[in-house]
């Protein structure tokens, strides 16, 4: 899955080079840019390992820790700080997203021991935090397209490096043999959406005052999951069934209001 998922990034890299050429800045900046892309792909490997060791409902909510890593690493290496209003907004968005996610998977998270999947997931979040700061730095030193070129190259190279490890190489070869057209199509759609998300994420990093304020917006993901889940429950209840009881909706509405109150504080203060 990780290997196939790198195809859109490889195509994106080749497209940029074909249209704009490969913009060489400095060896250090190229290194940082490529490293940032590789770390994201390696984070996905850790995420997949965590899923293999624990249920998805137990590890996925730990993605909410990414903004904390970005906040700390950004302060240490880039000197990024938040105003009092921004920090208050950051805290509300983080809290609302965590509560919304935690409520959804509370029993599973509480049953997750501090080993195995937990540590892999925490390591994945830390790598994404580091990658975010690296990309933010490269963006400040170059341009969006330059950073995107280096990042997509790194993401693709990380996938190529998987074949060095014999067990993974055998698994990849076997996966290529067994993959059907439908599976390739699914991977293409899924990873094209992921690539598009990365592009918007970089654009946000380019214009935002700090990387922490961008990363904390990942806390709004449970809101979109909730909206899509509710819509699917109404439209196609045979395939998706979201709990729409009054108590659950009241809890989720409170979490969502907390998230948007935090966003308002970030952008209005």
């Amino acid at each position: 899955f990780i290997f196939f998922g790198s195809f859109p990034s490889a195509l994106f890299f080749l497209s940029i080079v074909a249209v704009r050429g490969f913009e060489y800045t400095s060896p250090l900046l190229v290194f940082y840019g490529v490293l940032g892309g590789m770390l994201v792909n390696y984070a996905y490997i850790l995420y997949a390992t965590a899923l293999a060791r624990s249920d998805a409902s137990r590890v996925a909510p730990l993605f909410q820790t990414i903004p904390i890593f970005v906040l700390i690493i950004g302060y240490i290496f880039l000197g990024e700080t938040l105003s009092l209003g921004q920090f208050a907004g950051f805290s509300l968005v983080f809290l609302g997203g965590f509560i919304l996610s935690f409520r959804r998977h509370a029993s599973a998270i509480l049953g997750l021991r501090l080993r195995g999947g937990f540590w892999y997931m925490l390591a994945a979040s830390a790598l994404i935090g580091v990658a975010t700061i690296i990309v933010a730095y490269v963006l400040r030193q170059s341009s969006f397209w330059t950073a995107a070129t280096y990042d997509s190259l790194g993401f693709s190279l990380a996938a190529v490096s998987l074949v060095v490890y014999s067990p993974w190489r055998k698994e990849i070869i076997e996966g290529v043999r067994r993959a059907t057209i439908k599976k390739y199509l699914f991977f293409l759609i899924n990873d094209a959406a992921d690539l598009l998300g990365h592009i918007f994420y970089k654009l946000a990093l380019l214009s935002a005052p700090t990387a922490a304020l961008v990363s904390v917006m990942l806390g709004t993901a449970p809101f979109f999951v909730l909206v899509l889940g509710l819509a699917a429950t109404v439209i196609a209840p045979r395939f998706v069934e979201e709990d729409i009881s009054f108590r659950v909706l009241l809890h989720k509405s409170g979490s969502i209001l907390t998230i948007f109150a935090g966003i308002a504080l970030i952008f209005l203060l």
Side-chain angles (χ1 to χ4, degrees):
F1 179 79
I2 302 297
F3 183 79
F4 290 143
S6 302
F7 288 177
S9 288
L11 292 175
F12 184 57
F13 166 74
L14 293 174
S15 299
I16 296 176
V17 173
V19 174
R20 301 177 57 89
F22 186 86
E23 184 178 348
Y24 181 81
T25 50
S26 69
L28 190 61
L29 205 60
V30 173
F31 171 75
Y32 283 144
V34 172
L35 177 63
M38 295 183 75
L39 289 181
V40 173
N41 211 344
Y42 289 142
Y44 286 171
I45 295 174
L46 291 172
Y47 177 44
T49 304
L51 290 176
R53 291 172 174 261
S54 303
D55 295 335
S57 60
R58 297 187 178 191
V59 298
L62 294 174
F63 259 129
Q64 298 296 332
T65 61
I66 292 174
I68 301 299
F69 286 109
V70 174
L71 180 65
I72 296 172
I73 299 170
Y75 173 76
I76 294 173
F77 291 99
L78 298 183
E80 293 186 343
T81 58
L82 302 179
S83 67
L84 183 61
Q86 289 174 335
F87 185 77
F90 175 95
S91 301
L92 285 176
V93 174
F94 173 79
L95 181 64
F98 183 79
I99 292 175
L100 186 59
S101 182
F102 183 85
R103 173 68 180 182
R104 184 181 180 88
H105 305 296
S107 60
I109 297 174
L110 292 175
L112 181 62
R113 297 181 180 181
L114 298 184
R115 63 183 184 183
F118 175 88
W119 295 113
Y120 280 106
M121 192 63 245
L122 204 61
S125 297
L127 284 185
I128 292 178
V130 174
T132 297
I133 296 303
I134 290 176
V135 172
Y137 173 77
V138 175
L139 284 168
R140 294 176 186 180
Q141 303 299 319
S142 58
S143 66
F144 168 78
W145 288 111
T146 300
T149 302
Y150 299 161
D151 183 79
S152 57
L153 173 60
F155 196 90
S156 304
L157 289 177
V160 174
S161 69
L162 297 181
V163 301
V164 175
Y165 185 50
S166 180
W168 287 348
R169 181 171 63 251
K170 293 177 180 178
E171 186 176 339
I172 290 171
I173 294 174
E174 184 62 24
V176 171
R177 290 175 178 173
R178 292 183 301 170
T180 62
I181 298 298
K182 289 184 179 180
K183 183 175 290 187
Y184 279 120
L185 183 61
F186 170 78
F187 284 146
L188 180 62
I189 295 174
N190 178 77
D191 296 309
D194 181 68
L195 174 62
L196 188 62
H198 280 288
I199 291 174
F200 282 117
Y201 194 64
K202 291 181 184 64
L203 289 172
L205 287 172
L206 188 62
S207 57
T210 67
L213 294 180
V214 175
S215 66
V216 78
M217 290 304 165
L218 295 173
T220 62
F223 163 71
F224 294 104
V225 172
L226 172 62
V227 172
L228 293 173
L230 292 175
T233 300
V234 174
I235 298 172
R238 292 177 54 188
F239 301 100
V240 179
E241 186 176 355
E242 188 80 16
D243 189 348
I244 56 176
S245 64
F246 175 77
R247 181 179 178 181
V248 171
L249 288 179
L250 183 64
H251 167 83
K252 292 179 177 179
S253 298
S255 301
I256 290 170
L257 288 175
T258 302
I259 291 173
F260 282 99
I263 294 175
L265 283 175
I266 290 173
F267 289 101
L268 296 181
L269 295 183

